[in-house]
């Protein structure tokens, strides 16, 4: 039996209250379930930026998750912080460290929602701080209906990695964001857009597997969502084989 590749998933961080009187980590179960269903062995990554290389010594793939917070515009020269921007500085410090480390090592990376936005920043790109202020006639990217249902469709860019994985020109996606990628970074390309033109995905062909999607494929709102996780885990499997053979 082929060993499952070890996939690190970044956690969200919460202040005291609710689950615990002390600060605590959290992540929806369907992130882990989708990775396991794809054949990976998911593990959680606490926010210790100084340990990023130690984690990466063991990981075959990195999944940067989403959350109800934003990337600090200071990280991409975005100017003054919009009133709607909410930061989780400890989480971002860890995620940018482990993400940049994974890219240096050419370890497969999948960014989901806020993870896709952070991937763009790690690649030298920029973000739109608040879609309603920047995109005339924008869709409701903070969809009012449940996240288990589609919010809109995205058109996939022909010839991209994402297009090859999905095998279709469009997908139905859920939508839970008020920010979006503006420029994807040097060498990176946009692989999906919403009908209003908002960037919904990016990738960088210069890496083994470097892919970000603005929606949440772990919900499998579209039947082809799981293919994204499958392709990521399969790329990570090759990393594990190379490490074992070294």
């Amino acid at each position: 039996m082929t060993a499952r590749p070890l996939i690190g998933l970044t956690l969200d961080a919460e202040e005291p209250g609710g689950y615990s009187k002390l600060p605590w980590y959290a992540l929806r179960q369907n992130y882990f379930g989708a990775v396991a269903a794809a054949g990976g062995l998911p593990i959680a990554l606490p926010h210790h930026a100084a340990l990023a290389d130690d984690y990466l010594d063991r990981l075959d793939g990195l999944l940067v998750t989403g959350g109800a917070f934003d990337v600090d515009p200071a990280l991409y020269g975005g100017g003054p912080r919009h009133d709607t921007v909410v930061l989780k500085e400890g989480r971002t410090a860890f995620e940018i460290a482990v993400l940049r480390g994974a890219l240096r090592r050419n370890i497969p990376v999948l960014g989901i929602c806020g993870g896709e936005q952070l991937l763009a920043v790690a690649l030298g790109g920029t973000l739109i701080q608040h879609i309603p202020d920047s995109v005339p006639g924008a869709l409701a990217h903070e969809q009012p209906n449940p996240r288990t249902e589609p919010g809109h469709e995205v058109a996939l860019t022909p010839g991209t990695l994402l297009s090859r994985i999905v095998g279709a020109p469009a997908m139905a996606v859920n939508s839970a964001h008020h920010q979006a990628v503006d420029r994807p970074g040097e060498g990176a390309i946009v692989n999906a857009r919403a009908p209003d033109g908002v960037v919904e995905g990016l990738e960088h062909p210069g890496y083994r597997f470097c892919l970000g999607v603005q929606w949440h494929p772990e919900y499998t709102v579209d039947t082809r969502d799981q293919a994204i996780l499958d392709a990521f885990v399969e790329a990570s499997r090759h990393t594990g084989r190379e490490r074992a053979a070294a």
Side-chain angles (χ1 to χ4, degrees), residues 58-150:
R58 296 159 174 81
L59 293 179
D60 300 315
L62 174 68
L63 196 162
V64 184
T65 64
F69 74 108
D70 305 298
V71 179
D72 190 340
L75 290 175
Y76 54 89
R81 191 185 306 166
H82 193 277
D83 291 342
T84 59
V85 170
V86 176
L87 303 183
K88 290 188 176 180
E89 294 174 336
R91 174 177 175 175
T92 297
F94 169 70
E95 287 187 329
I96 197 72
V98 74
L99 179 51
R100 285 172 172 164
L103 292 172
R104 285 195 301 270
R105 295 170 181 241
N106 207 12
I107 292 173
V109 169
L110 175 62
I112 290 178
C113 197
E116 180 247 8
Q117 296 170 12
L118 190 65
L119 177 58
V121 172
L123 293 169
T126 60
L127 305 180
I128 295 170
Q129 288 199 47
H130 191 55
I131 292 169
D133 286 358
S134 301
V135 181
L139 297 171
H141 287 278
E142 287 278 9
Q143 70 181 55
N145 53 312
R147 301 292 187 250
T148 52
E149 301 173 358

